[in-house]
Amino acid sequence: MERTFIAVKPDGVQRGLCGDIIKRFERRGFRLVAAKLTQASEERVKTHYADLKAAPFYAGLCEYMASGPVLAMVWEGRRVVKLARTMLGETDPAESKPGSVRGDLCVDIGRNVIHGSDTVENAKREIDLWFTADEMLDYTSCAHACLYE
Ligand code: IDP
Ligand code: MG
Protein backbone atom coordinates (compact mmCIF):
# COMPACT_ATOMS: atom_id res chain seq x y z
CA MET A 1 0.00 0.00 0.00
CA GLU A 2 1.16 3.47 -0.87
CA ARG A 3 0.47 6.74 0.92
CA THR A 4 0.26 10.24 -0.50
CA PHE A 5 0.08 13.73 0.92
CA ILE A 6 -2.92 15.76 -0.22
CA ALA A 7 -3.62 19.32 0.88
CA VAL A 8 -6.57 21.58 0.17
CA LYS A 9 -4.86 24.95 -0.24
CA PRO A 10 -6.10 28.17 1.44
CA ASP A 11 -8.21 29.09 -1.61
CA GLY A 12 -9.93 25.70 -1.53
CA VAL A 13 -10.63 25.91 2.20
CA GLN A 14 -11.98 29.46 1.89
CA ARG A 15 -14.19 28.48 -1.04
CA GLY A 16 -15.75 25.62 0.91
CA LEU A 17 -14.35 22.87 -1.31
CA CYS A 18 -12.99 20.53 1.39
CA GLY A 19 -16.11 18.37 1.42
CA ASP A 20 -16.16 17.94 -2.35
CA ILE A 21 -12.48 17.01 -2.40
CA ILE A 22 -12.67 14.56 0.53
CA LYS A 23 -15.69 12.95 -1.10
CA ARG A 24 -13.76 12.25 -4.30
CA PHE A 25 -11.02 10.42 -2.41
CA GLU A 26 -13.49 8.47 -0.28
CA ARG A 27 -15.56 7.40 -3.28
CA ARG A 28 -12.49 6.36 -5.24
CA GLY A 29 -11.76 3.88 -2.44
CA PHE A 30 -8.78 5.38 -0.65
CA ARG A 31 -8.35 5.12 3.10
CA LEU A 32 -8.02 8.30 5.16
CA VAL A 33 -4.94 7.93 7.36
CA ALA A 34 -4.63 11.46 8.78
CA ALA A 35 -6.28 14.86 8.46
CA LYS A 36 -5.92 18.24 10.11
CA LEU A 37 -6.83 21.84 9.44
CA THR A 38 -3.65 23.82 9.97
CA GLN A 39 -1.99 27.10 9.11
CA ALA A 40 1.56 26.31 8.04
CA SER A 41 4.60 28.43 8.87
CA GLU A 42 6.45 29.97 5.93
CA GLU A 43 9.40 27.81 6.94
CA ARG A 44 7.38 24.61 6.51
CA VAL A 45 5.94 25.77 3.20
CA LYS A 46 9.40 26.75 1.92
CA THR A 47 10.68 23.27 2.75
CA HIS A 48 7.60 21.72 1.17
CA TYR A 49 8.22 23.57 -2.13
CA ALA A 50 12.05 23.52 -1.93
CA ASP A 51 12.34 21.99 -5.41
CA LEU A 52 10.75 25.17 -6.85
CA LYS A 53 13.20 27.55 -5.11
CA ALA A 54 14.44 28.91 -8.45
CA ALA A 55 10.96 29.56 -9.89
CA PRO A 56 9.86 33.20 -10.26
CA PHE A 57 6.60 32.42 -8.43
CA TYR A 58 8.29 30.65 -5.45
CA ALA A 59 8.12 33.57 -2.97
CA GLY A 60 4.50 34.36 -3.81
CA LEU A 61 3.54 30.69 -3.68
CA CYS A 62 5.10 30.22 -0.21
CA GLU A 63 3.60 33.42 1.14
CA TYR A 64 0.20 32.37 -0.17
CA MET A 65 0.35 28.81 1.16
CA ALA A 66 1.18 30.13 4.64
CA SER A 67 -1.50 32.85 4.51
CA GLY A 68 -4.46 30.79 5.73
CA PRO A 69 -5.82 27.42 6.71
CA VAL A 70 -4.83 24.32 4.77
CA LEU A 71 -6.55 20.93 5.08
CA ALA A 72 -3.61 18.53 5.25
CA MET A 73 -4.36 14.84 4.66
CA VAL A 74 -2.72 11.49 4.13
CA TRP A 75 -4.55 9.01 1.89
CA GLU A 76 -3.62 5.37 1.39
CA GLY A 77 -4.29 2.90 -1.40
CA ARG A 78 -2.70 0.91 -4.17
CA ARG A 79 -0.79 3.28 -6.52
CA VAL A 80 -2.45 6.21 -4.73
CA VAL A 81 0.33 8.67 -5.65
CA LYS A 82 -0.27 8.28 -9.38
CA LEU A 83 -4.03 7.88 -9.13
CA ALA A 84 -4.36 10.99 -6.98
CA ARG A 85 -2.29 13.05 -9.41
CA THR A 86 -4.68 12.02 -12.17
CA MET A 87 -7.64 12.99 -9.96
CA LEU A 88 -6.05 16.43 -9.38
CA GLY A 89 -5.60 17.24 -13.07
CA GLU A 90 -2.73 19.29 -14.49
CA THR A 91 -0.93 22.04 -12.60
CA ASP A 92 -2.62 24.59 -14.87
CA PRO A 93 -6.42 24.38 -14.54
CA ALA A 94 -6.71 25.40 -18.20
CA GLU A 95 -4.99 22.12 -19.16
CA SER A 96 -7.05 20.04 -16.71
CA LYS A 97 -9.84 17.81 -17.98
CA PRO A 98 -13.38 18.15 -16.66
CA GLY A 99 -13.86 15.52 -13.96
CA SER A 100 -10.55 16.36 -12.31
CA VAL A 101 -10.41 18.56 -9.20
CA ARG A 102 -8.64 21.38 -11.02
CA GLY A 103 -10.68 20.87 -14.18
CA ASP A 104 -13.91 21.20 -12.21
CA LEU A 105 -13.16 23.65 -9.43
CA CYS A 106 -10.70 26.39 -10.41
CA VAL A 107 -9.33 28.64 -13.17
CA ASP A 108 -5.97 30.16 -12.10
CA ILE A 109 -2.66 28.27 -11.83
CA GLY A 110 -1.79 30.28 -8.71
CA ARG A 111 -5.11 29.35 -7.05
CA ASN A 112 -5.43 25.71 -8.09
CA VAL A 113 -7.06 24.56 -4.82
CA ILE A 114 -5.13 21.35 -4.14
CA HIS A 115 -1.69 19.84 -3.68
CA GLY A 116 -0.81 16.19 -4.27
CA SER A 117 2.59 14.48 -4.01
CA ASP A 118 4.14 13.74 -7.41
CA THR A 119 6.28 10.70 -6.49
CA VAL A 120 6.31 8.05 -3.76
CA GLU A 121 9.59 9.47 -2.49
CA ASN A 122 8.21 13.02 -2.27
CA ALA A 123 5.05 11.68 -0.61
CA LYS A 124 7.17 10.22 2.20
CA ARG A 125 9.10 13.47 2.58
CA GLU A 126 5.91 15.57 2.63
CA ILE A 127 4.05 13.29 5.07
CA ASP A 128 7.01 13.54 7.46
CA LEU A 129 7.04 17.31 7.06
CA TRP A 130 3.34 17.81 7.82
CA PHE A 131 2.48 14.99 10.25
CA THR A 132 3.89 13.27 13.33
CA ALA A 133 3.70 9.49 13.56
CA ASP A 134 0.98 9.62 16.26
CA GLU A 135 -1.28 11.70 14.00
CA MET A 136 -1.51 8.83 11.51
CA LEU A 137 -4.02 6.08 12.24
CA ASP A 138 -3.68 2.44 11.33
CA TYR A 139 -7.01 0.71 11.03
CA THR A 140 -8.44 -1.82 8.61
CA SER A 141 -10.95 -0.40 6.18
CA CYS A 142 -14.16 -2.48 6.06
CA ALA A 143 -14.18 -1.92 2.28
CA HIS A 144 -10.71 -3.37 1.72
CA ALA A 145 -11.85 -6.78 0.45
CA CYS A 146 -14.31 -5.14 -1.94
CA LEU A 147 -11.70 -2.77 -3.37
CA TYR A 148 -8.79 -5.13 -3.96
CA GLU A 149 -8.51 -8.51 -5.67
P1 IDP B 1 1.78 20.71 -8.91
O1 IDP B 1 1.07 21.39 -7.76
O2 IDP B 1 0.83 20.31 -9.99
O3 IDP B 1 2.67 19.59 -8.46
P2 IDP B 1 4.21 22.28 -9.27
O4 IDP B 1 4.92 22.47 -10.55
O5 IDP B 1 4.84 21.41 -8.24
O6 IDP B 1 2.72 21.81 -9.61
O7 IDP B 1 3.98 23.74 -8.66
C1 IDP B 1 3.53 23.90 -7.34
C2 IDP B 1 2.47 24.95 -7.30
O8 IDP B 1 3.04 26.21 -7.71
C3 IDP B 1 1.31 24.74 -8.28
O9 IDP B 1 0.32 23.87 -7.78
C4 IDP B 1 0.79 26.16 -8.46
O10 IDP B 1 -0.05 26.53 -7.36
C5 IDP B 1 2.07 26.97 -8.38
N1 IDP B 1 2.55 27.29 -9.73
C6 IDP B 1 3.13 26.43 -10.61
N2 IDP B 1 3.44 27.06 -11.75
C7 IDP B 1 3.06 28.35 -11.59
C8 IDP B 1 3.12 29.51 -12.43
O11 IDP B 1 3.58 29.47 -13.57
N3 IDP B 1 2.62 30.65 -11.89
C9 IDP B 1 2.09 30.73 -10.63
N4 IDP B 1 2.02 29.66 -9.82
C10 IDP B 1 2.49 28.49 -10.30
MG1 MG C 1 4.44 19.59 -7.35
Side-chain angles (χ1 to χ4, degrees), residues 69-130:
V70 164
L71 180 65
M73 297 177 281
V74 177
W75 288 91
E76 183 182 88
R78 194 172 292 162
R79 290 174 294 167
V80 66
V81 172
K82 185 179 185 341
L83 270 63
R85 287 288 291 194
T86 305
M87 289 166 70
L88 263 58
E90 302 300 319
T91 303
D92 185 351
E95 306 295 327
S96 300
K97 293 202 172 73
S100 65
V101 174
R102 288 164 174 167
D104 285 347
L105 303 177
C106 57
V107 290
D108 189 329
I109 193 168
R111 296 291 183 268
N112 60 3
V113 304
I114 191 166
H115 167 82
S117 310
D118 59 354
T119 63
V120 173
E121 195 184 5
N122 278 336
K124 290 200 176 92
R125 182 180 69 80
E126 292 168 4
I127 289 167
D128 286 348
L129 179 65
W130 288 82

Coordinates of all heavy atoms in Angstrom, one line a residue, residues 69-130:
P69 N -5.7 28.8 6.4 CA -5.8 27.4 6.7 C -5.7 26.5 5.5 O -6.1 26.8 4.4 CB -7.2 27.3 7.3 CG -7.9 28.5 6.8 CD -6.9 29.6 6.6
V70 N -5.0 25.4 5.8 CA -4.8 24.3 4.8 C -5.4 23.0 5.4 O -5.2 22.8 6.6 CB -3.3 24.1 4.5 CG1 -3.0 22.8 3.8 CG2 -2.8 25.3 3.7
L71 N -6.1 22.2 4.6 CA -6.5 20.9 5.1 C -5.5 19.9 4.6 O -5.5 19.5 3.4 CB -7.9 20.6 4.6 CG -8.4 19.2 5.0 CD1 -8.6 19.2 6.6 CD2 -9.7 18.8 4.3
A72 N -4.7 19.5 5.6 CA -3.6 18.5 5.2 C -4.1 17.1 5.5 O -4.8 16.8 6.5 CB -2.4 18.8 6.1
M73 N -3.8 16.2 4.5 CA -4.4 14.8 4.7 C -3.3 13.8 4.1 O -2.5 14.1 3.3 CB -5.6 14.7 3.8 CG -6.8 15.5 4.2 SD -8.2 15.4 3.1 CE -7.7 16.4 1.8
V74 N -3.5 12.6 4.7 CA -2.7 11.5 4.1 C -3.8 10.5 3.7 O -4.7 10.1 4.5 CB -1.8 10.9 5.2 CG1 -1.1 9.6 4.6 CG2 -0.7 11.9 5.7
W75 N -3.6 10.0 2.4 CA -4.6 9.0 1.9 C -3.7 7.8 1.5 O -2.6 7.9 1.0 CB -5.3 9.6 0.7 CG -6.4 10.6 1.1 CD1 -6.2 11.9 1.2 CD2 -7.7 10.3 1.4 NE1 -7.4 12.5 1.5 CE2 -8.4 11.5 1.7 CE3 -8.5 9.1 1.5 CZ2 -9.7 11.6 2.1 CZ3 -9.8 9.2 1.9 CH2 -10.4 10.5 2.2
E76 N -4.3 6.6 1.7 CA -3.6 5.4 1.4 C -4.4 4.5 0.4 O -5.6 4.5 0.4 CB -3.5 4.6 2.7 CG -2.7 3.3 2.6 CD -2.7 2.6 3.9 OE1 -3.6 1.8 4.2 OE2 -1.7 2.8 4.7
G77 N -3.7 3.8 -0.5 CA -4.3 2.9 -1.4 C -3.3 2.4 -2.4 O -2.1 2.9 -2.4
R78 N -3.6 1.4 -3.2 CA -2.7 0.9 -4.2 C -2.5 2.0 -5.3 O -3.4 2.5 -5.8 CB -3.3 -0.4 -4.8 CG -2.2 -1.2 -5.6 CD -2.8 -2.5 -6.0 NE -3.0 -3.4 -4.8 CZ -3.8 -4.5 -4.9 NH1 -4.4 -4.8 -6.0 NH2 -3.9 -5.2 -3.8
R79 N -1.2 2.3 -5.5 CA -0.8 3.3 -6.5 C -1.5 4.6 -6.3 O -1.8 5.4 -7.2 CB -1.1 2.8 -7.9 CG -0.2 1.6 -8.3 CD -0.6 1.1 -9.7 NE -1.9 0.4 -9.6 CZ -2.6 0.1 -10.6 NH1 -2.2 0.3 -11.9 NH2 -3.8 -0.5 -10.5
V80 N -1.7 5.0 -5.0 CA -2.4 6.2 -4.7 C -1.7 7.5 -5.2 O -2.4 8.5 -5.6 CB -2.8 6.3 -3.2 CG1 -1.6 6.5 -2.4 CG2 -3.8 7.4 -3.0
V81 N -0.4 7.5 -5.2 CA 0.3 8.7 -5.7 C -0.1 9.0 -7.1 O -0.5 10.1 -7.4 CB 1.9 8.5 -5.5 CG1 2.6 9.7 -6.1 CG2 2.2 8.3 -4.0
K82 N 0.0 8.0 -8.0 CA -0.3 8.3 -9.4 C -1.8 8.5 -9.6 O -2.2 9.4 -10.3 CB 0.2 7.1 -10.2 CG 0.0 7.2 -11.7 CD 0.5 6.0 -12.4 CE 0.5 6.1 -13.9 NZ -0.3 7.1 -14.6
L83 N -2.6 7.7 -8.9 CA -4.0 7.9 -9.1 C -4.5 9.2 -8.6 O -5.4 9.9 -9.3 CB -4.8 6.7 -8.4 CG -5.1 5.5 -9.3 CD1 -3.8 4.8 -9.7 CD2 -6.0 4.5 -8.5
A84 N -4.0 9.7 -7.5 CA -4.4 11.0 -7.0 C -3.9 12.1 -7.9 O -4.7 13.1 -8.1 CB -3.8 11.2 -5.6
R85 N -2.7 12.0 -8.5 CA -2.3 13.1 -9.4 C -3.3 13.1 -10.6 O -3.5 14.2 -11.1 CB -0.9 12.8 -9.9 CG 0.2 13.0 -8.9 CD 0.5 14.5 -8.6 NE 1.1 15.2 -9.7 CZ 1.6 16.4 -9.6 NH1 1.6 17.0 -8.4 NH2 2.2 17.0 -10.6
T86 N -3.7 12.0 -11.1 CA -4.7 12.0 -12.2 C -6.0 12.7 -11.7 O -6.6 13.4 -12.5 CB -4.9 10.6 -12.7 OG1 -3.7 10.0 -13.0 CG2 -5.8 10.6 -13.9
M87 N -6.4 12.4 -10.5 CA -7.6 13.0 -10.0 C -7.5 14.5 -9.8 O -8.5 15.2 -10.0 CB -8.0 12.4 -8.6 CG -8.5 11.0 -8.6 SD -8.5 10.2 -7.0 CE -9.8 11.1 -6.2
L88 N -6.3 15.0 -9.5 CA -6.0 16.4 -9.4 C -6.2 17.2 -10.7 O -6.6 18.3 -10.8 CB -4.6 16.7 -8.8 CG -4.5 16.9 -7.3 CD1 -5.1 15.8 -6.5 CD2 -3.1 17.2 -6.9
G89 N -5.7 16.5 -11.8 CA -5.6 17.2 -13.1 C -4.2 17.8 -13.2 O -3.3 17.5 -12.5
E90 N -4.1 18.7 -14.2 CA -2.7 19.3 -14.5 C -2.5 20.5 -13.6 O -3.5 21.0 -13.0 CB -2.7 19.8 -16.0 CG -2.9 18.7 -17.0 CD -1.9 17.5 -16.9 OE1 -0.7 17.8 -16.7 OE2 -2.3 16.4 -17.0
T91 N -1.2 20.9 -13.5 CA -0.9 22.0 -12.6 C -1.8 23.3 -13.0 O -2.3 24.0 -12.2 CB 0.6 22.4 -12.7 OG1 1.3 21.2 -12.3 CG2 1.0 23.5 -11.8
D92 N -1.8 23.5 -14.3 CA -2.6 24.6 -14.9 C -4.1 24.2 -15.1 O -4.3 23.3 -15.9 CB -2.0 25.0 -16.2 CG -2.7 26.3 -16.8 OD1 -3.7 26.7 -16.2 OD2 -2.2 26.8 -17.8
P93 N -5.0 24.8 -14.4 CA -6.4 24.4 -14.5 C -6.9 24.4 -16.0 O -7.8 23.6 -16.4 CB -7.2 25.4 -13.7 CG -6.2 25.9 -12.7 CD -4.8 25.8 -13.4
A94 N -6.3 25.3 -16.8 CA -6.7 25.4 -18.2 C -6.4 24.1 -19.0 O -7.0 23.9 -20.0 CB -6.1 26.6 -18.8
E95 N -5.4 23.4 -18.5 CA -5.0 22.1 -19.2 C -5.7 20.9 -18.5 O -5.4 19.8 -18.9 CB -3.5 21.9 -19.0 CG -2.6 23.1 -19.6 CD -2.8 23.3 -21.0 OE1 -3.0 22.3 -21.8 OE2 -2.8 24.5 -21.5
S96 N -6.5 21.1 -17.5 CA -7.1 20.0 -16.7 C -8.4 19.6 -17.3 O -9.2 20.5 -17.6 CB -7.2 20.5 -15.2 OG -6.0 20.8 -14.7
K97 N -8.6 18.3 -17.4 CA -9.8 17.8 -18.0 C -11.0 18.0 -17.0 O -10.8 17.8 -15.8 CB -9.7 16.3 -18.3 CG -8.7 16.1 -19.5 CD -9.0 14.7 -20.1 CE -8.1 14.5 -21.4 NZ -6.7 14.3 -21.1
P98 N -12.2 18.2 -17.5 CA -13.4 18.1 -16.7 C -13.4 16.8 -16.0 O -13.0 15.8 -16.5 CB -14.6 18.3 -17.6 CG -14.0 18.9 -18.9 CD -12.5 18.5 -18.9
G99 N -13.9 16.8 -14.7 CA -13.9 15.5 -14.0 C -12.7 15.5 -13.0 O -12.8 14.8 -12.0
S100 N -11.6 16.3 -13.3 CA -10.5 16.4 -12.3 C -10.8 17.5 -11.3 O -11.7 18.4 -11.6 CB -9.2 16.6 -13.0 OG -9.2 17.9 -13.7
V101 N -10.2 17.5 -10.2 CA -10.4 18.6 -9.2 C -10.1 19.9 -9.8 O -11.0 20.8 -9.8 CB -9.5 18.4 -8.0 CG1 -9.6 19.5 -7.0 CG2 -9.8 17.0 -7.3
R102 N -9.0 20.1 -10.5 CA -8.6 21.4 -11.0 C -9.5 21.7 -12.3 O -9.7 22.9 -12.6 CB -7.1 21.5 -11.3 CG -6.3 21.5 -10.0 CD -4.9 21.2 -10.3 NE -4.0 21.4 -9.1 CZ -2.7 21.0 -9.0 NH1 -2.2 20.3 -10.1 NH2 -2.0 21.2 -8.0
G103 N -9.9 20.7 -13.0 CA -10.7 20.9 -14.2 C -12.1 21.2 -13.8 O -12.8 21.8 -14.7
D104 N -12.5 20.9 -12.6 CA -13.9 21.2 -12.2 C -14.0 22.4 -11.3 O -15.1 23.1 -11.3 CB -14.5 20.0 -11.4 CG -14.8 18.8 -12.2 OD1 -14.9 19.0 -13.5 OD2 -15.1 17.8 -11.6
L105 N -13.0 22.7 -10.6 CA -13.2 23.7 -9.4 C -12.4 24.9 -9.4 O -12.5 25.7 -8.5 CB -12.9 22.9 -8.1 CG -13.7 21.6 -7.8 CD1 -13.2 21.0 -6.6 CD2 -15.2 21.9 -7.8
C106 N -11.5 25.2 -10.5 CA -10.7 26.4 -10.4 C -10.3 26.8 -11.8 O -10.5 26.1 -12.8 CB -9.5 26.2 -9.5 SG -8.4 24.8 -10.0
V107 N -9.7 28.1 -11.9 CA -9.3 28.6 -13.2 C -7.9 29.1 -13.2 O -7.3 29.2 -14.3 CB -10.3 29.8 -13.6 CG1 -11.7 29.3 -13.9 CG2 -10.4 30.8 -12.5
D108 N -7.3 29.5 -12.1 CA -6.0 30.2 -12.1 C -4.9 29.2 -11.6 O -5.1 28.6 -10.5 CB -6.1 31.4 -11.2 CG -4.9 32.3 -11.3 OD1 -3.8 31.8 -11.5 OD2 -5.1 33.5 -11.1
I109 N -3.8 29.2 -12.3 CA -2.7 28.3 -11.8 C -2.2 28.6 -10.4 O -1.7 27.7 -9.7 CB -1.5 28.3 -12.9 CG1 -0.5 27.2 -12.6 CG2 -0.8 29.7 -12.9 CD1 0.5 27.0 -13.8
G110 N -2.2 29.9 -10.0 CA -1.8 30.3 -8.7 C -2.8 30.1 -7.6 O -2.6 30.3 -6.4
R111 N -4.0 29.6 -8.0 CA -5.1 29.3 -7.1 C -5.8 28.0 -7.5 O -7.0 28.0 -7.7 CB -6.1 30.5 -7.0 CG -5.6 31.8 -6.6 CD -5.2 31.8 -5.1 NE -4.8 33.2 -4.6 CZ -3.5 33.5 -4.6 NH1 -2.6 32.7 -5.0 NH2 -3.2 34.8 -4.2
N112 N -4.9 27.0 -7.5 CA -5.4 25.7 -8.1 C -5.9 24.7 -7.0 O -5.9 23.5 -7.3 CB -4.4 25.1 -9.1 CG -3.1 24.8 -8.4 OD1 -2.9 25.0 -7.2 ND2 -2.1 24.3 -9.2
V113 N -6.3 25.2 -5.9 CA -7.1 24.6 -4.8 C -6.5 23.3 -4.1 O -6.9 23.0 -3.0 CB -8.5 24.2 -5.2 CG1 -9.3 25.4 -5.6 CG2 -8.7 23.1 -6.2
I114 N -5.6 22.6 -4.8 CA -5.1 21.4 -4.1 C -3.7 21.1 -4.4 O -3.1 21.4 -5.5 CB -6.0 20.2 -4.6 CG1 -5.8 18.9 -3.8 CG2 -5.9 20.0 -6.1 CD1 -6.9 17.9 -4.0
H115 N -3.0 20.4 -3.5 CA -1.7 19.8 -3.7 C -1.8 18.3 -3.6 O -2.5 17.8 -2.7 CB -0.7 20.4 -2.6 CG 0.6 19.6 -2.6 ND1 1.6 19.8 -3.5 CD2 1.0 18.5 -1.9 CE1 2.6 18.9 -3.3 NE2 2.2 18.1 -2.3
G116 N -1.0 17.6 -4.4 CA -0.8 16.2 -4.3 C 0.6 15.8 -4.6 O 1.2 16.3 -5.6
S117 N 1.2 14.9 -3.8 CA 2.6 14.5 -4.0 C 2.8 13.9 -5.4 O 1.9 13.2 -5.9 CB 3.0 13.4 -3.0 OG 2.6 13.8 -1.7
D118 N 3.9 14.2 -6.0 CA 4.1 13.7 -7.4 C 4.9 12.4 -7.5 O 4.9 11.8 -8.6 CB 4.8 14.8 -8.2 CG 6.2 15.3 -7.7 OD1 6.6 14.8 -6.6 OD2 6.9 16.0 -8.4
T119 N 5.6 12.0 -6.5 CA 6.3 10.7 -6.5 C 6.1 10.1 -5.1 O 5.8 10.8 -4.1 CB 7.8 10.8 -6.8 OG1 8.4 11.6 -5.7 CG2 8.1 11.5 -8.1
V120 N 6.4 8.8 -5.0 CA 6.3 8.0 -3.8 C 7.4 8.6 -2.8 O 7.1 8.8 -1.6 CB 6.5 6.5 -4.0 CG1 6.6 5.8 -2.7 CG2 5.4 6.0 -4.8
E121 N 8.5 8.9 -3.3 CA 9.6 9.5 -2.5 C 9.2 10.8 -1.9 O 9.4 11.1 -0.7 CB 10.8 9.6 -3.4 CG 12.1 9.8 -2.6 CD 13.3 10.0 -3.6 OE1 13.1 10.1 -4.8 OE2 14.4 10.1 -3.0
N122 N 8.6 11.7 -2.8 CA 8.2 13.0 -2.3 C 7.0 12.9 -1.3 O 6.9 13.7 -0.4 CB 7.9 13.9 -3.4 CG 9.1 14.6 -4.0 OD1 10.1 14.7 -3.4 ND2 9.0 15.0 -5.3
A123 N 6.2 11.9 -1.5 CA 5.1 11.7 -0.6 C 5.6 11.4 0.8 O 5.1 12.0 1.8 CB 4.2 10.5 -1.1
K124 N 6.6 10.5 0.9 CA 7.2 10.2 2.2 C 7.7 11.5 2.9 O 7.5 11.7 4.0 CB 8.3 9.2 2.0 CG 7.7 7.8 1.7 CD 8.8 6.7 2.0 CE 8.2 5.3 1.7 NZ 8.5 4.8 0.3
R125 N 8.5 12.2 2.1 CA 9.1 13.5 2.6 C 8.0 14.4 3.1 O 8.1 15.0 4.1 CB 9.9 14.1 1.4 CG 10.7 15.4 1.8 CD 11.5 15.9 0.7 NE 10.6 16.5 -0.4 CZ 10.1 17.7 -0.4 NH1 10.2 18.5 0.6 NH2 9.3 18.1 -1.4
E126 N 7.0 14.6 2.3 CA 5.9 15.6 2.6 C 5.1 15.1 3.8 O 4.7 15.9 4.7 CB 5.0 15.8 1.4 CG 5.7 16.5 0.3 CD 5.0 16.5 -1.1 OE1 3.9 16.0 -1.1 OE2 5.6 17.0 -2.0
I127 N 4.8 13.8 3.9 CA 4.0 13.3 5.1 C 4.9 13.5 6.3 O 4.3 14.0 7.4 CB 3.7 11.8 4.9 CG1 2.7 11.6 3.8 CG2 3.3 11.1 6.2 CD1 2.5 10.2 3.3
D128 N 6.2 13.3 6.3 CA 7.0 13.5 7.5 C 7.1 15.0 7.8 O 7.3 15.4 9.0 CB 8.4 13.0 7.2 CG 8.5 11.5 7.3 OD1 7.5 10.9 7.7 OD2 9.5 11.0 6.8
L129 N 7.0 15.9 6.8 CA 7.0 17.3 7.1 C 5.8 17.8 7.7 O 5.8 18.7 8.5 CB 7.3 18.0 5.7 CG 7.4 19.6 5.7 CD1 8.6 20.0 6.6 CD2 7.4 20.1 4.3
W130 N 4.6 17.3 7.4 CA 3.3 17.8 7.8 C 2.7 17.1 9.0 O 1.9 17.6 9.7 CB 2.3 17.8 6.7 CG 2.7 18.9 5.6 CD1 3.6 18.7 4.6 CD2 2.1 20.2 5.5 NE1 3.6 19.9 3.9 CE2 2.7 20.8 4.4 CE3 1.1 20.9 6.2 CZ2 2.3 22.1 4.0 CZ3 0.8 22.2 5.8 CH2 1.4 22.8 4.7

